[in-house]
Amino acid sequence: MLIERPPFLYRLLFKGTHWRFHTEEKCVYLTFDDGPVPEVTLWVLDLLDKYGIKAMFFCVADNVRKYPEIYQQVIARGHKVGNHTFHHLQGWKMDTETYLQDVKQAAELIDSSYFRPPHGHLRFPQLQALKKRYKVIMWDVVTRDYSRLMTAEQVFCNVKKYTRNGSVIVFHDSLKAEKKMKEALPKSIEWLLQQGYTFKLIE
Ligand SMILES: [Zn+2]
Protein backbone atom coordinates (compact mmCIF):
# COMPACT_ATOMS: atom_id res chain seq x y z
CA MET A 1 0.00 0.00 0.00
CA LEU A 2 2.77 2.42 0.96
CA ILE A 3 4.53 1.72 -2.30
CA GLU A 4 1.67 1.13 -4.73
CA ARG A 5 -0.08 4.35 -3.75
CA PRO A 6 2.40 6.86 -2.27
CA PRO A 7 0.99 8.29 0.97
CA PHE A 8 -0.27 11.84 1.29
CA LEU A 9 2.56 12.94 3.60
CA TYR A 10 5.19 11.65 1.22
CA ARG A 11 3.56 13.59 -1.60
CA LEU A 12 3.73 16.75 0.49
CA LEU A 13 7.53 16.51 0.48
CA PHE A 14 7.46 17.09 -3.26
CA LYS A 15 5.39 20.25 -3.44
CA GLY A 16 4.56 21.40 -6.95
CA THR A 17 4.86 17.96 -8.54
CA HIS A 18 2.00 15.99 -10.10
CA TRP A 19 0.85 12.68 -8.60
CA ARG A 20 -2.70 12.60 -9.84
CA PHE A 21 -4.93 14.91 -11.85
CA HIS A 22 -8.00 15.80 -9.84
CA THR A 23 -11.06 15.34 -11.96
CA GLU A 24 -14.60 14.07 -11.74
CA GLU A 25 -13.99 12.36 -15.03
CA LYS A 26 -13.36 8.61 -15.09
CA CYS A 27 -9.97 8.77 -16.75
CA VAL A 28 -6.40 7.61 -16.20
CA TYR A 29 -2.97 8.58 -17.49
CA LEU A 30 -0.73 5.72 -18.57
CA THR A 31 3.01 6.21 -18.26
CA PHE A 32 5.99 3.95 -19.01
CA ASP A 33 9.43 4.27 -17.46
CA ASP A 34 12.98 3.21 -18.27
CA GLY A 35 12.82 2.51 -22.02
CA PRO A 36 13.24 2.61 -24.88
CA VAL A 37 14.42 -0.95 -25.42
CA PRO A 38 13.56 -2.82 -28.62
CA GLU A 39 12.34 -6.05 -27.00
CA VAL A 40 9.75 -4.31 -24.85
CA THR A 41 8.95 -0.83 -26.10
CA LEU A 42 7.86 -1.93 -29.59
CA TRP A 43 5.55 -4.48 -28.03
CA VAL A 44 3.98 -1.75 -25.87
CA LEU A 45 3.60 0.56 -28.88
CA ASP A 46 1.76 -2.17 -30.82
CA LEU A 47 -0.55 -2.86 -27.91
CA LEU A 48 -1.35 0.82 -27.38
CA ASP A 49 -2.03 1.23 -31.11
CA LYS A 50 -4.49 -1.65 -30.96
CA TYR A 51 -6.52 0.28 -28.38
CA GLY A 52 -5.84 3.77 -29.73
CA ILE A 53 -4.24 4.79 -26.42
CA LYS A 54 -1.61 7.51 -26.13
CA ALA A 55 0.82 7.47 -23.21
CA MET A 56 3.85 9.23 -21.79
CA PHE A 57 7.23 7.49 -21.92
CA PHE A 58 9.84 8.60 -19.40
CA CYS A 59 13.01 7.63 -21.21
CA VAL A 60 16.46 6.88 -19.87
CA ALA A 61 18.70 8.86 -22.22
CA ASP A 62 21.34 6.15 -22.29
CA ASN A 63 18.69 3.92 -23.90
CA VAL A 64 17.75 6.70 -26.32
CA ARG A 65 21.42 6.86 -27.29
CA LYS A 66 21.50 3.09 -27.89
CA TYR A 67 18.14 2.83 -29.65
CA PRO A 68 17.39 6.16 -31.34
CA GLU A 69 15.10 4.53 -33.89
CA ILE A 70 12.87 3.09 -31.15
CA TYR A 71 12.76 6.49 -29.46
CA GLN A 72 11.72 8.09 -32.75
CA GLN A 73 8.94 5.52 -33.12
CA VAL A 74 7.53 6.42 -29.71
CA ILE A 75 7.17 10.01 -30.88
CA ALA A 76 6.05 9.17 -34.42
CA ARG A 77 3.25 7.01 -33.06
CA GLY A 78 1.77 9.96 -31.17
CA HIS A 79 3.08 9.47 -27.65
CA LYS A 80 4.84 11.98 -25.44
CA VAL A 81 8.29 11.58 -23.96
CA GLY A 82 9.79 12.76 -20.70
CA ASN A 83 13.29 13.02 -19.25
CA HIS A 84 14.17 10.23 -16.77
CA THR A 85 17.87 11.23 -16.42
CA PHE A 86 20.74 9.89 -18.53
CA HIS A 87 21.93 7.12 -16.21
CA HIS A 88 18.80 6.42 -14.13
CA LEU A 89 20.26 8.14 -11.08
CA GLN A 90 18.83 8.13 -7.58
CA GLY A 91 18.61 11.72 -6.39
CA TRP A 92 19.14 10.95 -2.70
CA LYS A 93 22.48 9.33 -3.45
CA MET A 94 23.80 12.16 -5.64
CA ASP A 95 24.97 15.66 -5.02
CA THR A 96 22.74 18.20 -6.70
CA GLU A 97 25.22 19.44 -9.26
CA THR A 98 26.06 15.95 -10.58
CA TYR A 99 22.39 15.05 -10.71
CA LEU A 100 21.35 18.17 -12.59
CA GLN A 101 24.24 17.72 -14.98
CA ASP A 102 22.99 14.23 -15.80
CA VAL A 103 19.48 15.57 -16.45
CA LYS A 104 20.95 18.25 -18.69
CA GLN A 105 22.94 15.66 -20.61
CA ALA A 106 19.73 13.65 -21.05
CA ALA A 107 17.96 16.76 -22.37
CA GLU A 108 20.39 16.84 -25.28
CA LEU A 109 18.69 13.66 -26.52
CA ILE A 110 15.22 14.04 -25.03
CA ASP A 111 13.39 17.20 -26.01
CA SER A 112 10.72 17.49 -23.32
CA SER A 113 9.32 19.75 -20.63
CA TYR A 114 8.41 16.72 -18.46
CA PHE A 115 10.64 15.04 -15.92
CA ARG A 116 10.23 12.03 -13.66
CA PRO A 117 12.90 11.22 -11.05
CA PRO A 118 14.06 7.58 -11.05
CA HIS A 119 12.72 5.77 -7.95
CA GLY A 120 10.81 8.94 -7.05
CA HIS A 121 13.87 10.16 -5.15
CA LEU A 122 14.89 13.81 -5.20
CA ARG A 123 16.68 16.08 -2.77
CA PHE A 124 14.93 19.35 -2.10
CA PRO A 125 17.46 21.53 -4.03
CA GLN A 126 17.28 19.14 -6.98
CA LEU A 127 13.50 19.46 -7.02
CA GLN A 128 13.63 23.24 -6.72
CA ALA A 129 15.97 23.48 -9.70
CA LEU A 130 14.06 20.98 -11.84
CA LYS A 131 10.69 22.65 -11.24
CA LYS A 132 11.96 25.78 -12.95
CA ARG A 133 12.48 23.92 -16.19
CA TYR A 134 10.14 20.91 -16.00
CA LYS A 135 6.71 19.72 -15.02
CA VAL A 136 7.68 17.00 -12.56
CA ILE A 137 5.37 14.01 -12.95
CA MET A 138 5.25 11.44 -10.15
CA TRP A 139 2.50 8.79 -9.93
CA ASP A 140 -0.64 7.73 -8.14
CA VAL A 141 -0.33 4.00 -8.87
CA VAL A 142 2.92 2.13 -9.31
CA THR A 143 2.13 -1.34 -10.59
CA ARG A 144 5.44 -2.84 -9.33
CA ASP A 145 5.83 -4.81 -12.54
CA TYR A 146 9.62 -4.56 -11.94
CA SER A 147 9.49 -6.36 -8.60
CA ARG A 148 10.76 -9.91 -8.16
CA LEU A 149 8.36 -10.18 -5.23
CA MET A 150 5.27 -9.75 -7.41
CA THR A 151 3.49 -12.08 -9.78
CA ALA A 152 1.83 -10.74 -12.94
CA GLU A 153 -1.52 -11.37 -11.28
CA GLN A 154 -0.50 -9.21 -8.29
CA VAL A 155 0.65 -6.46 -10.66
CA PHE A 156 -2.78 -6.55 -12.30
CA CYS A 157 -4.42 -6.53 -8.84
CA ASN A 158 -2.49 -3.38 -7.94
CA VAL A 159 -4.08 -1.63 -10.90
CA LYS A 160 -7.55 -2.82 -9.88
CA LYS A 161 -7.07 -1.91 -6.24
CA TYR A 162 -5.45 1.51 -6.44
CA THR A 163 -6.70 3.17 -9.63
CA ARG A 164 -9.10 6.07 -9.17
CA ASN A 165 -10.22 9.05 -11.26
CA GLY A 166 -7.24 10.97 -12.60
CA SER A 167 -4.65 8.37 -11.56
CA VAL A 168 -1.21 8.52 -13.15
CA ILE A 169 -0.29 4.84 -13.56
CA VAL A 170 3.28 3.56 -14.02
CA PHE A 171 4.34 0.50 -15.96
CA HIS A 172 7.91 -0.19 -17.12
CA ASP A 173 9.04 -0.87 -20.68
CA SER A 174 12.20 -2.50 -19.35
CA LEU A 175 13.72 -5.97 -19.58
CA LYS A 176 13.38 -6.31 -15.82
CA ALA A 177 9.61 -5.81 -15.96
CA GLU A 178 9.04 -7.42 -19.35
CA LYS A 179 7.51 -10.73 -18.36
CA LYS A 180 5.05 -9.38 -15.80
CA MET A 181 4.24 -6.22 -17.73
CA LYS A 182 3.41 -8.14 -20.91
CA GLU A 183 0.87 -10.17 -18.99
CA ALA A 184 -0.51 -7.49 -16.70
CA LEU A 185 -0.76 -4.53 -19.09
CA PRO A 186 -3.29 -6.01 -21.56
CA LYS A 187 -5.41 -7.28 -18.65
CA SER A 188 -5.24 -3.89 -17.00
CA ILE A 189 -6.27 -2.04 -20.16
CA GLU A 190 -9.21 -4.39 -20.67
CA TRP A 191 -10.27 -4.02 -17.05
CA LEU A 192 -9.98 -0.24 -17.09
CA LEU A 193 -12.09 -0.06 -20.25
CA GLN A 194 -14.71 -2.34 -18.71
CA GLN A 195 -14.84 -0.04 -15.67
CA GLY A 196 -15.53 2.88 -18.00
CA TYR A 197 -12.15 4.62 -17.77
CA THR A 198 -10.83 6.59 -20.69
CA PHE A 199 -7.10 7.07 -21.31
CA LYS A 200 -5.74 10.58 -21.42
CA LEU A 201 -2.36 11.98 -22.27
CA ILE A 202 -0.73 14.33 -19.75
CA GLU A 203 -0.94 17.88 -21.07
ZN1 LIG B 1 12.96 4.45 -13.66
Side-chain angles (χ1 to χ4, degrees), residues 33-35 58 60 84-85 88 116-120 139 170 172:
D33 286 7
D34 299 354
F58 287 92
V60 173
H84 197 47
T85 75
H88 206 258
R116 172 176 282 164
H119 309 281
W139 53 81
V170 190
H172 291 77

Side-chain angles (χ1 to χ4, degrees), residues 112-132:
S112 175
S113 54
Y114 299 92
F115 177 80
R116 172 176 282 164
H119 309 281
H121 298 175
L122 276 180
R123 289 170 187 249
F124 186 70
Q126 294 164 352
L127 175 62
Q128 292 310 103
L130 289 164
K131 274 195 303 191
K132 288 182 193 150

Side-chain angles (χ1 to χ4, degrees), residues 2-197:
L2 290 179
I3 299 177
E4 287 86 354
R5 177 188 285 172
F8 180 66
L9 283 173
Y10 187 76
R11 297 179 193 219
L12 282 184
L13 293 177
F14 299 90
K15 207 163 171 281
T17 65
H18 304 274
W19 298 84
R20 175 189 176 199
F21 294 94
H22 291 275
T23 171
E24 295 295 303
E25 214 182 312
K26 219 166 156 87
C27 66
V28 293
Y29 299 81
L30 272 192
T31 63
F32 295 87
D33 286 7
D34 299 354
V37 289
E39 298 86 341
V40 193
T41 307
L42 290 174
W43 184 92
V44 171
L45 292 178
D46 287 344
L47 185 76
L48 295 181
D49 274 358
K50 191 176 137 194
Y51 289 97
I53 295 169
K54 302 298 180 212
M56 188 169 281
F57 288 76
F58 287 92
C59 298
V60 173
D62 200 34
N63 287 334
V64 176
R65 177 186 66 77
K66 283 188 250 179
Y67 311 111
E69 67 292 349
I70 312 287
Y71 174 74
Q72 286 309 327
Q73 274 219 42
V74 172
I75 296 167
R77 289 162 85 165
H79 305 285
K80 281 192 180 171
V81 289
N83 186 323
H84 197 47
T85 75
F86 203 102
H87 297 100
H88 206 258
L89 299 183
Q90 294 202 38
W92 289 344
K93 292 186 178 167
M94 310 294 300
D95 67 82
T96 296
E97 200 185 325
T98 312
Y99 190 84
L100 295 176
Q101 190 53 41
D102 194 83
V103 174
K104 201 173 160 196
Q105 195 191 345
E108 288 168 19
L109 296 182
I110 302 164
D111 181 20
S112 175
S113 54
Y114 299 92
F115 177 80
R116 172 176 282 164
H119 309 281
H121 298 175
L122 276 180
R123 289 170 187 249
F124 186 70
Q126 294 164 352
L127 175 62
Q128 292 310 103
L130 289 164
K131 274 195 303 191
K132 288 182 193 150
R133 159 96 175 72
Y134 294 99
K135 281 197 184 80
V136 180
I137 310 292
M138 308 298 266
W139 53 81
D140 193 42
V141 183
V142 61
T143 61
R144 299 188 71 197
D145 51 358
Y146 54 81
S147 172
R148 276 183 287 124
L149 305 174
M150 293 265 156
T151 63
E153 194 56 33
Q154 286 171 313
V155 170
F156 174 42
C157 283
N158 285 337
V159 174
K160 290 193 282 188
K161 189 167 174 193
Y162 295 108
T163 299
R164 49 191 172 173
N165 291 353
S167 280
V168 176
I169 303 174
V170 190
F171 282 93
H172 291 77
D173 54 330
S174 69
L175 293 174
K176 201 166 151 192
E178 179 178 12
K179 202 163 168 285
K180 276 164 246 185
M181 186 278 294
K182 283 184 174 175
E183 194 179 324
L185 179 62
K187 282 186 183 176
S188 299
I189 290 175
E190 285 289 346
W191 182 83
L192 288 163
L193 288 170
Q194 276 166 18
Q195 298 300 307
Y197 284 102

